[in-house]
Amino acid sequence: MTVISPPVMSGKAIARNQFDRAADLIGLESYMRRILTAPFREVQVEIPVRMDDGRIEVFTGYRIQHNGARGPCKGGIRYHPHADHDEVLGLATIMTWKTALMDIPFGGAKGGVAVDPRGLSPLELERLTRRFIQRISIVLGPYRDIPAPDVNTNAQVMAWILDEYSSRQGYTPAVVTGKPVSLGGSLGRDEATGRGVMYVMMEYGRDFGIPLKGSRVVIQGFGNVGGHLARLLVAEAGATVIAVSDVDGGIVNERGLDIPGLLAHTAERRPISAWRGGGAISNDDLWSVKCDWLVPAALGGVITREKNAKTIECRVVVEGANGPTTPTADLILAERGIPVIPDFLANAGGVTVSYYEWAQNLQQYRWTHEKVNDELRTTIVKAYTAVRDLAKERAVTFRTAAYAIALQRVAEAERLRGN
Ligand code: NAD
């Protein structure tokens, strides 16, 4: 089993550091800073699971609701050995800014279970999911808190969540998003995060003279976000994806990887590094592949001062993952003139289409895939444009501009509610 080294800086610390810079820019009052940096509600549970061999193993799970001023809390559930309180809180906080920046009527939450799901059988995974939902269902609900997929959780896990919640409350499809289409999921949800990343790259490329067609892209992570992004960039934008990696290693081909072939290869649960259409590289080597666009789309805390911020050779970093760049690395990249498109703008396509899924469930009405994509493009381009314009006007980074817009909106909702 591959051991993944933990991030150097916690998700919570990353979110706080970035928050302060934007709060200063908009002159946010100190009492409001306190409200907006602290979580609204935290739940930690122990989850006993009957394993296939009859033993009971106990896992720790978290559901943290950061802020619900603008609507029900919204955010994924991840299964990962390093999931802990600080990481989940940092990710819940990012969700508050993401939903505000996209201007969709949700707040921010996140869930996590400290487990390596690769060590579980499908039945153990199902029992874990059902037990976790039993223990946190009191804080969930279609108008309270709505989970979705994240690292190592997928549409099947969301289907179990729907079933577990509905078995007590009655049929409630809007309690969870990212469901299979046959159970009330939205067309286009599966690819929505990758598609949103591509739309943002298209806009940025046009505005800053790096057209996607023919440009060279490196992607860390080949799961939901990275895999769909790679496919769409090649098929719809004419880009050349030259290197990708997964947890076990990477592959590079300067002439461009055959992405449909690689996706078929990984669909059979084979490691990327065993693919014949390129040369195998280590996860560390991926960072030194020269490219136009570098897209971290795996985990947080992977671009750091110690490891790669001083040596990365790309024209733009696009944060497909949540929190991939530590604040110090962010400053180093800025000094080196490498812009960073922040996570809560770049990867907001998933939660945006989750919002459409929720709305379709409440209406019991289905949108076409085309309508989903059109609405996604309109919403994410509007957010991108607002960030681009504020960044230019105030001479700040995209990240600080995006934070300032989001903070302003959440603070306004808090004030209107009387806080
Ligand atoms: P996933 O589990 O589908 O895929 C993760 C990928 O990263 C896999 O290919 C895995 O092998 C790879 N990976 C894991 N550790 C690695 C390492 N150390 N080095 C290289 N590769 C590694 O997860 P996902 O849903 O694609 O999420 C990826 C990131 O995007 C996470 O940060 C998540 O929070 C964020 N995100 C996901 C969504 C979504 O809709 N799925 C939305 C917004 C943000």
Side-chain angles (χ1 to χ4, degrees):
M1 184 200 313
T2 312
V3 178
I4 308 156
S5 50
V8 173
M9 191 171 184
S10 76
K12 192 171 98 176
I14 292 175
R16 178 67 213 220
N17 181 293
Q18 292 162 347
F19 172 92
D20 282 336
R21 224 170 296 154
D24 291 345
L25 187 75
I26 61 169
L28 202 65
E29 311 93 311
S30 61
Y31 86 90
M32 190 60 81
R33 291 183 194 221
R34 181 162 173 184
I35 293 177
L36 298 188
T37 47
F40 167 72
R41 181 192 278 141
E42 303 184 329
V43 178
Q44 179 179 328
V45 292
E46 297 303 305
I47 314 161
V49 178
R50 173 83 57 194
M51 308 306 276
D52 292 344
D53 62 7
R55 272 178 314 118
I56 289 193
E57 219 175 290
V58 185
F59 302 91
T60 303
Y62 308 86
R63 184 71 186 172
I64 299 185
Q65 298 168 344
H66 173 256
N67 189 286
R70 300 181 66 263
C73 294
K74 187 87 189 77
I77 290 178
R78 72 167 50 178
Y79 291 165
H80 194 275
H82 295 139
D84 63 11
H85 171 271
D86 276 11
E87 178 181 77
V88 176
L89 175 54
L91 293 165
T93 310
I94 293 174
M95 287 307 297
T96 301
W97 314 137
K98 198 182 293 187
T99 51
L101 182 63
M102 291 300 117
D103 207 6
I104 58 180
F106 288 138
K110 202 80 179 188
V113 178
V115 59
D116 185 347
R118 291 175 305 175
L120 300 184
S121 72
L123 276 175
E124 288 167 343
L125 192 67
E126 178 175 349
R127 289 195 287 267
L128 169 75
T129 302
R130 290 185 182 278
R131 257 290 159 92
F132 180 45
I133 294 308
Q134 282 168 21
R135 301 208 163 191
I136 63 166
S137 65
I138 193 160
V139 299
L140 302 181
Y143 292 105
R144 183 171 282 180
D145 183 354
I146 306 137
D150 194 72
V151 174
N152 293 328
T153 57
N154 56 19
Q156 175 61 73
V157 174
M158 301 306 115
W160 293 326
I161 293 176
L162 164 69
D163 185 67
E164 196 57 43
Y165 187 88
S166 296
S167 68
R168 285 170 177 71
Q169 309 288 334
Y171 176 64
T172 321
V175 74
V176 60
T177 60
K179 301 179 293 290
V181 171
S182 52
L183 260 188
S186 178
L187 295 168
R189 172 61 183 86
D190 207 29
E191 63 174 30
T193 306
R195 181 171 285 282
V197 176
M198 177 181 72
Y199 288 154
V200 169
M201 288 168 71
M202 282 173 165
E203 294 297 304
Y204 190 94
R206 190 203 54 219
D207 289 345
F208 295 91
I210 317 169
L212 271 183
K213 196 168 166 50
S215 67
R216 293 150 58 84
V217 187
V218 169
I219 304 174
Q220 185 206 31
F222 205 60
N224 177 281
V225 181
H228 282 297
L229 175 64
R231 177 179 62 79
L232 292 166
L233 282 174
V234 171
E236 296 189 17
T240 307
V241 177
I242 57 169
V244 300
S245 67
D246 67 10
V247 65
D248 297 312
I251 192 159
V252 62
N253 184 338
E254 292 290 340
R255 282 175 290 130
L257 293 163
D258 166 17
I259 296 297
L262 187 54
L263 282 166
H265 170 85
T266 52
E268 289 173 17
R269 297 186 169 275
R270 286 185 286 179
I272 280 183
S273 48
W275 170 243
R276 295 263 170 85
I281 49 170
S282 70
N283 274 326
D284 284 346
D285 289 344
L286 185 89
W287 303 114
S288 48
V289 179
K290 198 172 168 190
C291 58
D292 296 306
W293 308 85
L294 176 62
V295 188
L299 293 170
V302 294
I303 302 183
T304 67
R305 174 180 55 188
E306 295 75 14
K307 208 164 92 180
N308 46 16
K310 293 176 193 153
T311 51
I312 278 169
E313 277 194 82
C314 66
R315 292 170 78 184
V316 194
V317 171
V318 185
E319 295 187 331
N322 284 316
T325 316
T326 65
T328 337
D330 214 23
L331 292 174
I332 294 170
L333 291 174
E335 276 165 18
R336 294 183 59 211
I338 300 177
V340 179
I341 304 182
D343 47 11
F344 62 105
L345 172 59
N347 71 29
V351 73
T352 302
V353 175
S354 273
Y355 163 51
Y356 304 151
E357 179 176 334
W358 178 77
Q360 291 172 73
N361 293 155
L362 293 177
Q363 294 180 321
Q364 288 292 303
Y365 183 77
R366 173 151 290 165
W367 295 7
T368 63
H369 195 164
E370 198 183 7
K371 179 175 166 71
V372 169
N373 290 351
D374 286 350
E375 294 274 343
L376 167 60
R377 188 171 199 148
T378 304
T379 302
I380 206 160
V381 168
K382 193 172 164 206
Y384 164 84
T385 307
V387 171
R388 180 201 61 196
D389 292 349
L390 186 67
K392 187 165 181 221
E393 190 189 315
R394 304 293 298 267
V396 293
T397 62
F398 266 46
R399 190 189 308 281
T400 301
Y403 259 105
I405 293 167
L407 289 188
Q408 197 80 271
R409 288 184 182 152
V410 182
E412 185 186 345
E414 287 284 358
R415 284 189 203 104
L416 288 168
R417 280 167 174 261
N419 295 325

